[in-house]
Amino acid sequence: MENISTLLQEAGLNNPSVTSYVEKWASITQPDRIEVISAADDERLVQEGLAAGEIFPAGDQLYYSRSYYKDTARSEERTVVATHRPTDKGAYNNWRDADEVTAVQVEHMRGASRGKTMYVIPYLMAPVGSPLEKWARGVELTDNRTVVLHMIRMARVGVEYLNNLDNPDEFVKAVHVTGDLENLGQGTEDDKRLFATVADERTILHFGSSYGGNALLGKIAHGLRQAAYDGWDSKEFLSEQFMLIGIKDKEKDHTYYICGGFPSASGKTNLAMMLPPDALGDRYEVYFYGDDIVWLRVDPRDGRVYGMNPEFGAFGVAKDTNEISNPTAIEAIKPGSRTLFTNVAYNPTTQELWWEGRTPTHPEDVTGWLDWRGELISDRPAERQRSTDKGDEWAHPNSRFTTTLANVPNIAPDYEEPQGVPIDAIIFGGRVRDREPLIRAIADLAEGVYDGLTLGAEATFAAEGKEGVLRYDPMSMRPFMSYSEGEYARHWLRIIGAASEQPIFAHVNWFQRDSEDGHFLWPGYRDNLRALLWLLDFKEGRVTGTQTPVGVIPTPEELNLEGFDGSRKDLEAILSFDAAQWERECAHREEHLAQFEGLPEEIWEAHRRVTEAVKAARK
Ligand code: GTP
Ligand code: MN
Ligand code: MN
């Protein structure tokens, strides 16, 4: 191979620390070629991917790819955070010793890119000029071309982000090696996959997957895990698995900003892309800022909490995305958008794509259709061809689309504003079939943080695990925790507590079900705006709601129900407080919180206050 330093310089990359980093990992992984990537390389790489059969055409400038069938979701058991300090161990971060993990990964990666190209992807996880820019630079090395195509859509990619730095070493070193996917023993005792963030070395080493959630290192590993660690270590900011929207009240000519965390596959992307209900469309507009990651800091100019989306694209769940549930997403992934689809069903003859919920029923004619494994539907026994049984899906339940933010029709006009936007409200929400009302507002900081720490949701298909089982997911960060939960709570109290004007907290739940027939009690999607408008009214003192032990719940009259066609009886059910269910929940919470070492006393006090009030309400 030619001299690496010369090669990088010819590609316009002149950062000496990047050169030595590439040299080091190239000598370990031993690729045949090295190539430096900028966003302008997209079309060429698409053509190469098509020619190589790695991606397939799916209409005008739409592309399709499949990941290996045992490699379709994040693997939480195989994901670890490593540092040199055992005190960084938390309940959920799978802490490991940094030196041990690094040694294991070097062995995994040694010679593993032979015969392949190493792509050098310099990227920025922030709008250009952001006050958090120094935490946002990274270079991903990957031996997978499709991963490069995803990265170009999900992050700002180009040599300019890494050149001429005051401190040339101030970037995240992110190494991705696909490995021999057919011989990694996925899910067995001898699973060779390992996804490691060596947080105190700002180094990410992922081996054994080409699925986006494990392989796009700018997004989850850097944007969430590493950034959360950096934000805590520097005491400067928070990084959360949050969506971020603006709600413009055209009558008042004022835009409110709400961010919040829902566990994976619980509705962040859908909420961020929400259109107002028709009847409210004249008065309100919803702007998309982000759908998966928000970095939060207090701005010295006015002392308020500002939120910013470090990403450049959206990696959305395909399932159930259609013109009715999410017309904004359908527009964002239309022909000409250069969207990349993963693990949906594909018809190579017609170049059509389909996923469960795309249309009410499967395509009429199954001829030519391939399921997410790449197997012909017509090869299945007749009764399984258009079956809706689990396991017979045409598309993988975690199939995704990858598109740049600029394609999203409700993208905020100022989405690249480097300062971000001032946050009015922070919401938490999960999939919970009972107990948890539509919305409850929490004004107190410690109770808000406590509420986030006790966020629970039924497990979903976005991560390996049992669907439908309730599990706690603090702030929706359980899979991305990089340091101990006690410190995590303390850092939240520190950052939000330093603000001159505290955002209001709220807990939302779009997923309560009828105990008899299981239907959703709330229509969800566009109607979710009604709950958020109430929250803003409450914050501004325009409504008072009903105080309960777990926060303030709206009365039905306080909700804007113009054009609402949901059931009144269901509405009353989701605006009620069930003390018996909450009493049981408080007992579970006590066990959950007890796992967290060094939890601040304020959080325990909040827990005791809530529990006492719940008990009193029972009497
Ligand atoms: P990640 O991208 O994995 O972090 O998930 P996400 O939080 O962005 O979830 P997403 O918005 O993709 O929603 C996941 C699933 O929830 C999809 O199948 C949606 O159709 C469904 N969903 C979203 N919002 C609602 C809602 O308001 N009501 C109901 N019933 N389902 C919803
Ligand atoms: Mn996510
Ligand atoms: Mn999403």
Side-chain angles (χ1 to χ4, degrees):
M1 199 168 5
E2 63 181 295
N3 179 292
I4 289 177
S5 168
T6 313
L7 187 148
L8 298 190
Q9 263 169 32
E10 281 171 6
L13 188 51
N14 61 31
N15 179 324
S17 297
V18 175
T19 305
S20 34
Y21 159 62
V22 175
E23 283 170 346
K24 172 181 170 179
W25 287 96
S27 79
I28 294 169
T29 68
Q30 300 167 28
D32 282 12
R33 293 165 297 278
I34 296 180
E35 200 182 297
V36 179
I37 296 299
S38 283
D41 294 313
D42 191 51
E43 177 58 19
R44 176 180 57 81
L45 293 169
V46 161
Q47 293 308 326
E48 290 175 13
L50 289 167
E54 295 158 359
I55 59 171
F56 303 93
D60 175 29
Q61 294 180 77
L62 300 179
Y63 309 101
Y64 168 63
S65 78
R66 273 190 293 274
S67 63
Y68 179 58
Y69 79 102
K70 292 181 184 169
D71 183 32
T72 55
R74 282 185 291 103
S75 168
E76 292 182 11
E77 320 76 62
R78 304 301 304 159
T79 302
V80 304
V81 173
T83 69
H84 293 82
R85 275 191 306 214
T87 51
D88 288 338
K89 180 175 166 46
Y92 294 138
N93 66 350
N94 289 336
W95 182 86
R96 299 283 181 81
D97 177 78
D99 297 331
E100 278 172 30
V101 161
T102 303
V104 169
Q105 291 299 66
V106 166
E107 278 324 298
H108 278 145
M109 291 181 179
R110 198 180 296 286
S113 298
R114 270 182 215 140
K116 297 183 177 181
T117 300
M118 172 190 271
Y119 298 95
V120 178
I121 314 173
Y123 66 81
L124 182 70
M125 293 302 289
V128 177
S130 160
L132 296 175
E133 208 177 79
K134 68 182 266 202
W135 304 110
R137 299 186 188 100
V139 178
E140 174 163 352
L141 309 179
T142 177
D143 59 7
N144 191 302
R145 185 158 35 206
T146 309
V147 168
V148 181
L149 295 176
H150 278 98
M151 277 296 288
I152 289 175
R153 283 154 185 73
M154 294 304 295
R156 292 162 176 89
V157 170
V159 292
E160 63 273 28
Y161 303 123
L162 270 293
N163 283 339
N164 311 318
L165 306 184
D166 289 343
N167 174 358
D169 209 33
E170 213 163 62
F171 67 95
V172 169
K173 302 175 173 74
V175 186
H176 167 246
V177 172
T178 306
D180 179 6
L181 294 171
E182 289 172 29
N183 292 294
L184 295 176
Q186 292 92 338
T188 68
E189 290 271 300
D190 186 31
D191 198 328
K192 292 189 183 61
R193 301 172 298 165
L194 191 60
F195 310 113
T197 298
V198 187
D200 58 356
E201 291 183 352
R202 306 194 78 218
T203 296
I204 296 164
L205 304 173
H206 279 208
F207 173 78
S209 170
S210 71
Y211 168 72
N214 301 317
L216 307 180
L217 304 187
K219 181 181 174 58
I220 286 173
H222 178 171
L224 284 172
R225 286 189 199 100
Q226 182 66 53
Y229 193 90
D230 290 341
W232 165 65
D233 196 45
S234 66
K235 299 191 168 50
E236 269 189 47
F237 65 105
L238 295 165
S239 169
E240 307 295 328
Q241 188 191 201
F242 276 10
M243 61 86 215
L244 173 56
I245 56 175
I247 299 177
K248 182 173 183 180
D249 182 337
K250 291 184 248 181
E251 220 163 76
K252 295 205 178 66
D253 193 26
H254 183 77
T255 305
Y256 297 90
Y257 301 98
I258 301 182
C259 67
F262 311 164
S264 291
S266 298
K268 290 181 300 298
T269 299
N270 277 274
L271 191 67
M273 293 187 173
M274 170 176 61
L275 289 175
D278 284 334
L280 306 187
D282 285 344
R283 173 145 179 207
Y284 298 102
E285 200 151 343
V286 178
Y287 292 120
F288 182 112
Y289 282 88
D291 73 327
D292 204 52
I293 306 180
V294 176
W295 291 5
L296 294 159
R297 72 192 165 90
V298 173
D299 193 300
R301 293 171 308 171
D302 58 4
R304 293 192 64 187
V305 177
Y306 277 67
M308 165 283 264
N309 171 16
E311 301 196 89
F312 191 61
F315 182 57
V317 174
K319 185 178 184 216
D320 288 332
T321 303
N322 59 55
E323 285 79 0
I324 295 159
S325 67
N326 194 341
T328 310
I330 294 293
E331 183 70 17
I333 61 179
K334 70 181 179 188
S337 65
R338 303 185 73 75
T339 301
L340 195 54
F341 296 84
T342 308
N343 295 338
V344 299
Y346 175 58
N347 189 326
T349 318
T350 61
Q351 298 189 6
E352 286 172 289
L353 301 171
W354 191 82
W355 51 85
E356 275 64 24
R358 177 68 189 84
T359 50
T361 56
H362 293 85
E364 207 55 49
D365 183 1
V366 305
T367 315
W369 279 100
L370 302 173
D371 67 15
W372 62 272
R373 288 187 179 83
E375 286 165 9
L376 270 171
I377 302 289
S378 58
D379 282 352
R380 298 181 178 187
E383 70 278 8
R384 285 191 41 225
Q385 291 186 359
R386 300 171 80 242
S387 130
T388 54
D389 292 353
K390 235 191 166 100
D392 284 344
E393 292 92 351
W394 284 27
H396 190 279
N398 190 39
S399 56
R400 301 256 169 176
F401 56 81
T402 310
T403 195
T404 51
L405 295 183
N407 286 329
V408 177
N410 71 326
I411 188 74
D414 58 345
Y415 78 102
E416 300 213 84
E417 162 61 44
Q419 306 292 331
V421 291
I423 301 298
D424 294 288
I426 298 175
I427 64 177
F428 299 111
R431 257 172 207 275
V432 185
R433 60 177 56 240
D434 53 22
R435 177 182 51 82
E436 190 60 82
L438 176 67
I439 185 165
R440 46 188 177 88
I442 299 164
D444 179 73
L445 171 61
E447 278 178 33
V449 174
Y450 162 71
D451 185 74
L453 291 171
T454 52
L455 173 56
E458 290 155 23
T460 62
F461 41 74
E464 293 164 2
K466 281 204 188 72
E467 217 179 313
V469 177
L470 196 88
R471 65 170 202 169
Y472 287 107
D473 191 338
M475 264 84 166
S476 73
M477 284 290 281
R478 177 174 170 148
F480 315 113
M481 278 287 174
S482 52
Y483 57 103
S484 79
E485 288 79 4
E487 279 298 307
Y488 183 84
R490 190 164 290 110
H491 188 44
W492 259 87
L493 294 171
R494 168 167 49 223
I495 294 282
I496 308 296
S500 56
E501 185 187 317
Q502 191 208 293
I504 191 161
F505 288 92
H507 199 107
V508 301
N509 181 25
W510 319 139
F511 299 96
Q512 217 185 117
R513 287 171 184 270
D514 185 85
S515 56
E516 265 145 40
D517 66 10
H519 76 270
F520 285 115
L521 296 177
W522 174 249
Y525 299 102
R526 302 170 73 157
D527 286 303
N528 295 337
L529 181 64
R530 301 178 194 276
L532 301 182
L533 291 175
W534 174 84
L535 179 64
L536 297 171
D537 278 346
F538 178 74
K539 189 182 186 218
E540 304 272 26
R542 292 190 285 263
V543 294
T544 53
T546 308
Q547 181 73 52
T548 78
V550 293
V552 179
I553 298 178
T555 64
E557 296 69 40
E558 287 172 347
L559 286 177
N560 184 335
L561 294 177
E562 229 181 299
F564 181 71
D565 53 15
S567 133
R568 181 79 188 191
K569 181 167 155 274
D570 288 353
L571 187 62
E572 275 162 21
I574 57 174
L575 296 180
S576 63
F577 167 75
D578 184 328
Q581 286 183 335
W582 275 98
E583 193 172 8
R584 282 195 293 277
E585 169 62 14
C586 285
H588 293 311
R589 287 183 172 188
E590 188 127 344
E591 284 172 33
H592 165 67
L593 294 178
Q595 304 171 83
F596 302 157
E597 254 169 74
L599 199 61
E601 191 50 32
E602 292 102 301
I603 302 297
W604 279 117
E605 280 165 16
H607 172 65
R608 285 194 289 267
R609 262 199 316 277
V610 169
T611 307
E612 290 306 310
V614 166
K615 282 192 177 137
R618 269 280 264 165
K619 289 186 183 125

